[in-house]
């Protein structure tokens, strides 16, 4: 539109100089044309009226008034400058509110009609009807473009707002997921280790005077557990695989090592415990996340057995069934009623009064559910417990 304005202004000035050479008004026409061009160039420097403003700034109003005034004088002196009004239509529509802009377009159109009639040698209906039609068309196009732009701005604002809300939601979900991960890791590793250390140190304290060598053995075992807990803590802080799976150790070997560590040949506060590992089927490579999840489930299940079941033996079985891998943890402890949400009450043991405990089973279910698997528990008071975690495997191509 700026280019069109200067082309029309230059064409109008050239037409006047060609048609009216040497007239006294020529210097005025040239000066006013240059002034109008210079003033028009200064318009963008004032900045457009922003979309959220209802009224233009006083400085821009003064500028628009000066442009229109110079153009009116030029049209009165030389009617050929009338067609510069078309770019001025859009300048007024961009600057003024809708009502004032329509009034300005009407005034400019009237001057265009009057100028064309002055240039005509006779009455021509086209000269009377064409300028209003062009003005109406220009106004309609501008209004349509403004509405389209307003809808696009609203859509962009909605998209930006939605993107921000989505980003905030993703941050919240990421935070919750990380908290869930840490809570499960802490329960399955640090909490289990601290519980074992507590029982070992209590046993060492009871036997310190009567059997110093046994007490020292308990202390050494507690020290080993502390070292493993430290390694586990460093690994899950960095979201690494469990220590038992480090250096590419397969899941069966890791479970076999876990069973060996969990076994207690010497009775302590909870009695002796024999943990045996069984492998069924032909082992196949498993994804890292499946191995980590099943190992954590086994750790959590053994922690529950060690702390609550008063069992003397535990069978840890890993079965490769082709389309799925199943981990079973069966003990001969007191058992419990699966309907009990805490999973701690047995026939001879009341429910644990500590309200901040009981994350084991929910953590196991969450781990298995994330892999698309299922966790089932079969138990009854006095009949032991069988925990089974089944994880589906993707078929090998």
């Amino acid at each position: 539109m700026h280019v069109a304005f200067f082309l029309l202004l230059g064409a109008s000035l050239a037409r006047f100089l060609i048609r009216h050479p040497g007239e006294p008004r020529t210097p005025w026409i040239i000066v006013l044309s240059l002034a109008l061009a210079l003033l028009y160039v200064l318009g963008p420097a004032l900045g457009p009226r922003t979309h959220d403003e209802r009224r233009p700034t006083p400085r821009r109003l003064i500028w628009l008034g000066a442009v229109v005034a110079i153009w009116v004088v030029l049209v009165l002196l030389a009617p050929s400058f009338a067609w510069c009004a078309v770019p001025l239509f859009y300048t007024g529509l961009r600057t003024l509110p809708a009502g004032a802009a329509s009034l300005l377009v009407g005034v400019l159109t009237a001057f265009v009609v009057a100028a064309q009639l002055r240039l005509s040698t006779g009455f021509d209906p086209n000269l009377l009807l064409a300028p209003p039609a062009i003005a109406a068309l220009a106004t309609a196009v501008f209004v349509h473009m403004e509405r389209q732009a307003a809808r696009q701005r609203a859509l962009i604002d909605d998209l930006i707002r939605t993107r921000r809300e989505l980003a905030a939601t993703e941050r919240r979900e990421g935070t919750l997921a990380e908290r869930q991960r840490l809570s499960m890791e802490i329960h399955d590793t640090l909490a289990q280790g601290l519980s074992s250390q507590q029982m070992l140190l209590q046993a060492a304290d009871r036997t310190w005077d009567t059997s110093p060598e046994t007490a020292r053995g308990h202390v050494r075992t507690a020290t080993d557990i502390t070292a493993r807990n430290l390694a586990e803590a460093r690994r899950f802080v960095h979201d690494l695989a469990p220590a038992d799976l480090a250096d590419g150790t397969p899941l069966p070997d890791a479970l076999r090592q876990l069973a060996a560590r969990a076994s207690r040949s010497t009775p302590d506060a909870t009695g002796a415990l024999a943990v045996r590992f069984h492998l069924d089927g032909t082992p196949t490579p498993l994804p890292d996340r499946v191995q980590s999840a099943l190992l954590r489930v086994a750790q959590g299940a053994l922690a529950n057995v060690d702390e609550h079941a008063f069992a003397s033996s535990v069978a840890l079985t890993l079965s490769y069934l082709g389309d799925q891998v199943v981990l079973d943890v069966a003990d001969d402890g007191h058992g419990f009623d699966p309907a009990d949400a805490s999973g701690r009450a047995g026939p001879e043991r009341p429910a644990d009064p500590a309200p901040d405990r009981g994350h084991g089973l929910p953590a196991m279910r969450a781990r298995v559910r994330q892999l698309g698997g299922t966790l089932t528990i079969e138990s009854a008071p006095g009949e032991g417990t069988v925990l089974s975690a089944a994880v589906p495997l993707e078929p090998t191509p």
Side-chain angles (χ1 to χ4, degrees):
M1 196 57 60
H2 296 328
V3 172
F5 175 81
F6 287 108
L7 287 176
L8 291 173
L9 182 63
S12 300
L13 179 60
R15 182 179 187 277
F16 176 82
L17 294 177
I18 293 173
R19 295 288 185 90
H20 309 281
E23 285 197 6
R25 54 180 175 167
T26 298
W28 289 102
I29 297 295
I30 296 175
V31 171
L32 290 174
S33 297
L34 295 176
L36 181 59
L38 179 61
L39 196 59
Y40 192 89
V41 168
L42 295 177
L46 301 177
R49 183 171 65 95
T50 57
H51 299 296
D52 56 346
E53 289 181 348
R54 294 185 178 274
R55 294 183 179 180
T57 60
R59 183 173 58 179
R60 191 158 182 82
L61 277 177
I62 295 173
W63 169 82
L64 179 61
V67 169
V68 172
I70 294 176
W71 175 82
V72 168
V73 174
L74 278 173
V75 171
L76 293 176
L77 294 176
S80 58
F81 285 87
W83 288 111
C84 294
V86 175
L88 294 181
F89 289 165
Y90 287 99
T91 301
L93 290 169
R94 286 198 313 269
T95 304
L96 300 174
S102 300
L103 180 61
L104 177 61
V105 169
V107 172
L108 295 179
T109 304
F111 274 92
V112 171
V113 171
Q116 295 302 309
L117 292 176
R118 284 177 55 190
L119 292 175
S120 176
T121 56
F123 179 76
D124 188 347
N126 286 333
L127 300 179
L128 185 62
L129 300 178
I134 295 175
L137 179 61
T139 303
V141 170
F142 179 85
V143 170
H144 176 72
M145 292 172 60
E146 281 289 290
R147 290 176 179 174
Q148 289 289 99
R151 283 193 289 266
Q152 290 178 356
R153 288 193 297 271
L155 179 60
I156 292 173
D157 292 341
D158 290 340
L159 290 175
I160 293 175
R161 182 170 56 253
T162 302
R163 185 175 63 181
R164 290 174 178 172
E165 293 174 355
L166 180 60
T169 301
E170 290 177 347
R171 285 194 296 270
R172 288 193 297 269
E173 291 178 351
T175 301
L176 293 176
E178 183 64 12
R179 289 177 179 175
Q180 178 70 10
R181 181 186 75 84
L182 291 176
S183 67
M184 292 190 297
E185 296 286 355
I186 290 172
H187 178 275
D188 294 343
T189 55
L190 299 185
Q192 178 188 358
L194 291 174
S195 177
S196 300
Q197 291 173 46
Q198 182 183 27
M199 290 187 293
L200 288 168
L201 293 177
Q202 288 174 348
D205 182 62
R206 287 193 301 270
T207 60
W208 192 265
D209 295 328
T210 59
S211 181
E213 188 61 32
T214 301
R216 292 189 185 93
H218 289 326
V219 172
R220 285 192 293 269
T221 304
T223 302
D224 293 338
I225 294 175
T226 301
R228 293 194 63 81
N229 272 7
L230 180 60
E232 289 284 2
R234 289 170 175 168
R235 286 179 176 274
F236 75 66
V237 164
H238 296 286
D239 200 17
L240 300 176
D244 289 331
L245 296 174
D247 301 325
T249 302
L251 180 60
D253 292 346
L255 292 175
R256 190 174 288 108
Q257 296 171 10
L258 177 63
R261 290 196 308 271
S263 298
R264 295 191 307 272
S265 59
T266 303
D268 56 15
T270 57
L273 180 64
V275 182
R276 297 178 177 85
F277 172 73
H278 304 280
L279 177 63
D280 289 340
T282 303
T284 58
L286 299 176
D288 292 341
R289 60 195 188 102
V290 173
Q291 294 192 101
S292 298
L294 291 178
L295 180 59
R296 293 306 191 200
V297 169
Q299 290 174 331
L302 290 177
N304 287 342
V305 171
D306 190 41
E307 190 171 357
H308 307 299
F310 291 99
S312 60
S313 65
V314 180
L316 194 63
T317 305
L318 181 66
S319 303
Y320 290 86
L321 304 179
D323 60 343
Q324 64 177 349
V325 60
V326 180
L327 174 68
D328 296 313
V329 183
D331 68 73
D332 60 353
H334 287 176
F336 65 96
D337 183 1
D340 179 9
S342 67
R344 297 192 189 94
E348 301 176 8
R349 180 175 176 82
D352 195 327
D356 57 343
R357 306 290 298 278
H359 299 291
L361 294 179
M364 296 180 204
R365 288 194 177 94
R367 288 185 185 276
V368 177
R369 190 182 303 116
Q370 289 174 356
L371 300 174
T374 57
L375 182 76
T376 57
I377 300 174
E378 298 179 4
S379 183
E383 297 183 6
T385 302
V386 176
L387 181 146
S388 180
V391 177
L393 299 178
E394 296 181 358
T396 303

